[in-house]
Amino acid sequence: MSSTPIAARHKGFNRAEIVDQNFTEFVQLWQGEVRACPRDNEPVLPGSALDAHGFRQLLESQLISRHLDLMARVLRVQNKVFYTIGSSGHEGNAMVARLTRHTDPAFLHYRSGGFMAERFRKLPGMDPVMDSALSFAASQEDPASGGRHKVWGSKPLWVLPQTSTIASHLPKALGTAVAIEQARRIGHALPIPADSIAICSFGDASSNHATAQTAFNAAAWTAYQKLPAPVLFVCEDNGIGISVKTPSGWVANNFQHRRDLDYFFADGLDLASGYEQVQRAVDHCRGTRRPTFLHLKTTRIMGHAGTDFEIEWRSIEELVAVEASDPLLRSAAIALESGLYSKDELLALNDATRKRCFAAAEDADRRPRLQTLDEVMAPLAPYTPDKVQAEAERADYQDKRVAVFGGEDKLPEKQPPRHLAIQINQALHELMAKYPESLLFGEDVAQKGGVYTVTKGLQKTFKGNRVFNTLLDETVILGLAQGYANMGMLPIPEIQYLAYFHNACDQIRGEAASLQFFSNNQYRNPLLMRVASLGYQRGFGGHFHNDNSIAALRDIPGLVVGCPSRGDDAATMLRTMMALAKVDGRVCACLEPIALYMTKDLYAAGDGQWQFAYPAPGEAMPLGEGRIYDADADDLVIFTFGNGVPMALRSARSIEQELGWKVRVVDLRWLAPLNDAFIAAQAKSAKRILVLDEGRKSAGVGEGIITAVVEAGFGSTPLERVVGADTYTPLAGAAFLVLPGDAEVVAAAKKLGARE
């Protein structure tokens, strides 16, 4: 008799139906020898590390995963479920779930149905079928995402939700592993046991992604320095990425000889033999606290997703061979050979699981779905202004401030007015004293104190466990930040230049800022990212060090973006940003204008008018609040931010002298979300409006300002925009040809006057 089930040989059939029939036919036609049925604590087969009780549960988890996939294929065409990327062929990942704990944070890729079904066993009263069905159906009652996406996630089970991720979750998984160990060093109480490990699963195709490679490199870099990083990288190798095949042997040859990334192989197609192999990897990771790479052999049954009609691009012979490698067929053979199940019992279990999954899906379809925009957006950007303001103004740590600054008389509010860089430095000292769970890290921030000495002295004050250098990799920096945040800390990562943020943008866009949304506000990763930003540096330029493009930041849903132009504003803004992170779990970005770091003067050399007194404890800047210069002036209102503020003030003096106009300058300070109501209120009394945006003409802040003005009904007010050119910034003096300057502002005002 052929080893290939009869149904698999037919070309014209729906492949999901064939896979389903294969299981039934395999059981019915099985003719192997039946052994004496083992007791629960005995090996399921001679020599196996998996006992009979464990096998029964793993088999049930595999069947649950499979029938959820089959259910999705059937009910998707009825518009009852909305996701068909399945786990078929990957059900062996249930072994990883069984051999780890529910308190081991897990970052899973989309073929993790077996893992989730098995992890649900870790806590009583949980239902893997109904919870999963609610997610497939995009039900508002989905306990993972509240109906926002089909995700594998669970708050009580420590599965942080991912959405169709292609390796972008690996850096934060590594960051979480590092954070587990870092907590002990800074005396932070973890929300999970101290010997936990972080689990991260991904496919063989994803292992080639740059984001994956940076995580592997950083993990090895960490281990090379004898620093613990207990992350279990689980590469589920099914040999194909959508339609692109992975060369045979590539994963093994690429990873098994990497120094400081410890390699293990396990057969995920065979529970009896694979179990011990998985156990060795898990025990090694937990015991050694070293990054561990588990190469789990899997296959992909039923294509990439329901829309992937493999028969159109793969031969029938190849499809039949893949379907014959189905891990459920091997599990069925183990079940029958061991004597744990008769044929009838196994088929009954299969049928009961099918009915359970379909019944749950039909039930989920009757549950409410998200109906309004407010419901959809509710967890995206939580904001409790009263609590945030109270936290930002909280000043019950005065003794710590005194100790940090070296005495009562050395407190920053008792010093003469200072420039931006010094006051950011003082604010960071203050905030790290206020929040013992905070950490500051990035490239060159420790001994050197940053390229511009903004973090000078912080490592000396707070020691290397809280202020430290990272390797030169922005993706890793932001991955670490998310890991620390996952473990309840308050990270303050520094990105050395704004242009470097673009190397790692997706760590904020796709990962950090999306977590609250896709977990229905159950998980949060509060962080405050500081970025040396914008143009106008003299003697040190080029487009990497004078980047004025912030469109990528303003486009990220839920991200708070602030840009202070003076030191006192920086201090009060940073206080509020830390409070937003602490209270509401927000992800914040503070854009620090490099050209203003050391600026002391405003109108003339030596006037000292761009130095300000440090704000006393208890002062904070509410989110969205701008600063107004000469509030009663209405001949011309200039909207601006960052470097544009002192530029506008200088230009205002010239405009008043040349045109006789009274000029109001409005510093927005907060760039995302833009405070449309504040902009409208300032535009209401303006006779003329000038928008000064140091960013690029396309997709800059200026477009948002003008939109707010027009939508408020003030589109008829004469308006001009002064903005940077749509180009990269060149070196040396040529840089100032592409950036707005004082002369352009004055010329724009005259242009407005000439219209009258």
Side-chain angles (χ1 to χ4, degrees):
M1 183 187 72
S2 170
S3 61
T4 303
I6 294 172
R9 302 172 206 160
H10 294 280
K11 183 174 181 179
F13 280 66
N14 177 294
R15 304 316 295 182
E17 290 181 8
I18 288 173
V19 168
D20 191 22
Q21 292 173 29
N22 281 347
F23 185 87
T24 299
E25 291 185 8
F26 181 91
V27 174
Q28 291 172 338
L29 298 174
W30 188 81
Q31 296 176 1
E33 180 182 349
V34 178
R35 299 175 182 272
C37 183
R39 297 185 178 90
D40 278 356
N41 62 349
E42 292 178 341
V44 63
L45 290 179
S48 175
L50 176 61
D51 63 29
H53 175 70
F55 172 78
R56 284 184 182 274
Q57 294 194 328
L58 286 170
L59 174 61
E60 290 171 5
S61 294
Q62 288 186 311
L63 287 170
I64 287 171
S65 178
R66 175 60 56 85
H67 284 292
L68 286 171
D69 283 359
L70 293 169
M71 171 275 296
R73 297 299 177 94
V74 173
L75 296 186
R76 175 64 193 96
V77 297
Q78 300 177 31
N79 217 34
K80 293 182 177 181
V81 303
F82 304 93
Y83 194 84
T84 58
I85 295 180
S87 305
S88 295
H90 286 246
E91 290 90 352
N93 56 34
M95 293 186 288
V96 180
R98 186 168 189 84
L99 287 162
T100 55
R101 306 169 185 163
H102 79 278
T103 49
D104 291 329
F107 304 84
L108 307 176
H109 80 332
Y110 39 69
R111 303 198 194 280
S112 298
F115 182 103
M116 287 301 297
E118 186 64 25
R119 182 165 271 207
F120 269 89
R121 298 183 189 281
K122 303 287 185 178
L123 291 177
M126 301 195 72
D127 184 352
V129 174
M130 192 63 216
D131 281 8
S132 299
L134 289 166
S135 190
F136 275 102
S139 168
Q140 197 170 6
E141 296 179 13
D142 165 25
S145 75
R148 287 166 187 83
H149 205 285
K150 163 62 190 72
V151 297
W152 296 121
S154 169
K155 178 64 174 176
L157 295 175
W158 272 98
V159 179
L160 290 79
Q162 314 298 310
T163 60
S164 298
T165 182
I166 306 300
S168 57
H169 58 312
L170 273 68
K172 66 181 181 182
L174 171 62
T176 302
V178 172
I180 290 169
E181 297 295 319
Q182 190 87 352
R184 173 181 50 80
R185 294 193 288 271
I186 70 170
H188 173 72
L190 282 169
I192 55 177
D195 65 343
S196 298
I197 64 173
I199 305 160
C200 182
S201 63
F202 49 94
D204 48 295
S206 293
S207 73
N208 301 298
H209 197 282
T211 310
Q213 292 296 322
T214 203
F216 301 143
N217 179 72
W221 185 85
T222 304
Y224 181 78
Q225 299 179 91
K226 311 299 183 188
L227 297 173
V231 58
L232 181 66
F233 292 119
V234 183
C235 181
E236 300 186 14
D237 183 1
N238 63 23
I240 196 166
I242 303 184
S243 67
V244 180
K245 294 181 181 179
T246 297
S248 178
W250 169 249
V251 174
N253 284 298
N254 194 18
F255 288 96
Q256 64 183 338
H257 301 301
R258 290 198 183 190
R259 177 172 176 167
D260 294 310
L261 186 59
D262 302 339
Y263 175 90
F264 291 81
F265 173 82
D267 187 352
L269 302 177
D270 188 331
L271 298 181
S273 65
Y275 193 78
E276 182 177 9
Q277 298 161 340
V278 173
Q279 187 168 39
R280 287 176 57 241
V282 171
D283 291 348
H284 175 83
C285 185
R286 196 180 305 280
T288 65
R289 318 304 287 163
R290 284 173 56 84
T292 304
F293 188 96
L294 173 59
H295 181 191
L296 189 68
K297 181 181 179 181
T298 62
T299 190
R300 192 185 75 189
I301 309 294
M302 300 177 355
H304 175 71
T307 54
D308 179 17
F309 301 106
E310 289 184 294
I311 195 65
E312 296 179 353
W313 58 273
R314 298 181 85 171
S315 70
I316 186 62
E317 292 77 16
E318 186 179 359
L319 283 175
V320 168
V322 168
E323 290 161 359
S325 69
D326 187 344
L328 262 65
L329 301 185
R330 174 57 184 151
S331 293
I334 296 170
L336 296 170
E337 181 184 347
S338 66
L340 287 174
Y341 293 86
S342 68
K343 291 183 179 183
D344 288 344
E345 288 171 337
L346 188 55
L347 291 174
L349 175 62
N350 184 55
D351 190 53
T353 307
R354 180 200 321 277
K355 291 177 180 177
R356 181 182 173 193
C357 291
F358 271 87
E362 294 288 355
D363 186 358
D365 179 53
R366 294 188 289 270
R367 307 290 182 94
R369 295 188 174 98
L370 297 169
Q371 298 293 326
T372 68
L373 179 61
D374 286 344
E375 288 176 345
V376 171
M377 294 184 63
L380 173 64
Y383 180 40
T384 51
D386 292 344
K387 291 181 180 179
V388 169
Q389 195 68 18
E391 176 62 25
E393 294 175 351
R394 179 172 64 84
D396 56 358
Y397 57 104
Q398 188 69 354
D399 290 347
K400 293 181 180 179
R401 292 182 81 245
V402 171
V404 162
F405 289 108
E408 187 81 30
D409 59 332
K410 295 184 179 180
L411 291 171
E413 62 269 26
K414 297 187 177 181
Q415 306 307 308
R418 300 292 192 192
H419 54 275
L420 179 65
I422 286 181
Q423 293 196 326
I424 291 176
N425 179 276
Q426 292 169 332
L428 292 173
H429 275 86
E430 173 184 275
L431 290 169
M432 293 197 72
K434 182 175 183 177
Y435 299 105
E437 70 272 32
S438 62
L439 308 97
L440 187 145
F441 50 93
E443 300 161 17
D444 302 304
V445 301
Q447 298 92 335
K448 181 178 175 60
V451 174
Y452 300 97
T453 69
V454 175
T455 59
K456 184 178 181 180
L458 283 163
Q459 188 187 51
K460 183 178 179 180
T461 301
F462 297 102
K463 310 307 177 190
N465 288 329
R466 293 187 61 198
V467 180
F468 50 91
N469 292 325
T470 65
L471 72 171
L472 197 155
D473 189 329
E474 287 74 27
T475 297
V476 168
I477 292 170
L478 296 177
L480 285 172
Q482 293 174 80
Y484 292 130
N486 289 335
M487 293 295 100
M489 304 176 211
L490 283 175
I492 311 174
E494 176 178 297
I495 301 298
Q496 200 165 80
Y497 289 100
L498 179 58
Y500 298 172
F501 167 75
H502 300 295
N503 299 335
C505 176
D506 192 53
Q507 287 300 301
I508 298 296
R509 185 201 67 81
E511 297 296 333
S514 71
L515 182 60
Q516 284 178 281
F517 182 78
F518 288 120
S519 72
N520 201 17
N521 203 25
Q522 296 175 88
Y523 279 111
R524 30 182 266 174
N525 43 26
L527 62 90
L528 166 53
M529 176 179 66
R530 296 177 42 252
V531 189
S533 303
L534 306 174
Y536 299 100
Q537 283 195 87
R538 294 185 180 274
F540 189 64
H543 70 283
F544 270 116
H545 305 107
N546 273 301
D547 188 7
N548 62 336
S549 174
I550 64 172
L553 281 158
R554 292 187 61 245
D555 181 59
I556 298 173
L559 180 66
V560 173
V561 182
C563 183
S565 64
R566 42 190 272 183
D568 55 344
D569 281 357
T572 55
M573 179 180 284
L574 288 169
R575 288 171 181 170
T576 297
M577 285 185 164
M578 284 295 274
L580 282 163
K582 177 74 174 180
V583 173
D584 289 329
R586 299 295 292 274
V587 180
C588 302
C590 184
L591 307 184
E592 302 170 1
I594 300 170
L596 297 180
Y597 270 151
M598 308 301 174
T599 298
K600 300 177 182 178
D601 307 319
L602 178 58
Y603 298 111
D607 69 14
Q609 291 195 46
W610 210 243
Q611 299 184 104
F612 300 93
Y614 190 82
E619 296 182 27
M621 183 195 304
L623 177 63
E625 182 182 85
R627 180 182 287 278
I628 304 167
Y629 297 84
D630 201 353
D632 294 331
D634 61 3
D635 291 323
L636 176 66
V637 173
I638 302 177
F639 290 98
T640 191
F641 63 93
N643 291 291
V645 178
M647 185 186 303
L649 291 170
R650 291 191 300 269
S651 300
R653 177 176 283 191
S654 298
I655 292 167
E656 184 172 353
Q657 292 171 350
E658 296 185 37
L659 300 178
W661 293 351
K662 297 295 184 182
V663 181
R664 184 191 325 160
V665 174
V666 178
D667 180 0
L668 297 173
R669 301 195 294 195
W670 301 95
L671 307 184
L674 274 180
N675 189 339
D676 291 351
F678 171 69
I679 293 170
Q682 295 304 311
K684 183 177 182 179
S685 58
K687 295 177 182 176
R688 307 165 189 88
I689 294 173
L690 195 153
V691 175
L692 172 54
D693 176 4
E694 63 182 291
R696 298 174 190 167
K697 180 179 180 181
S698 299
V701 175
E703 293 181 353
I705 298 169
I706 294 171
T707 299
V709 169
V710 172
E711 289 183 346
F714 305 119
S716 60
T717 304
L719 184 148
E720 282 289 327
R721 178 165 62 132
V722 179
V723 69
D726 281 340
T727 181
Y728 298 104
T729 306
L731 197 61
F736 295 90
L737 300 175
V738 306
L739 296 169
D742 296 28
E744 286 83 4
V745 178
V746 175
K750 291 179 178 178
K751 187 176 179 181
L752 282 169
R755 293 183 190 173
E756 300 169 0

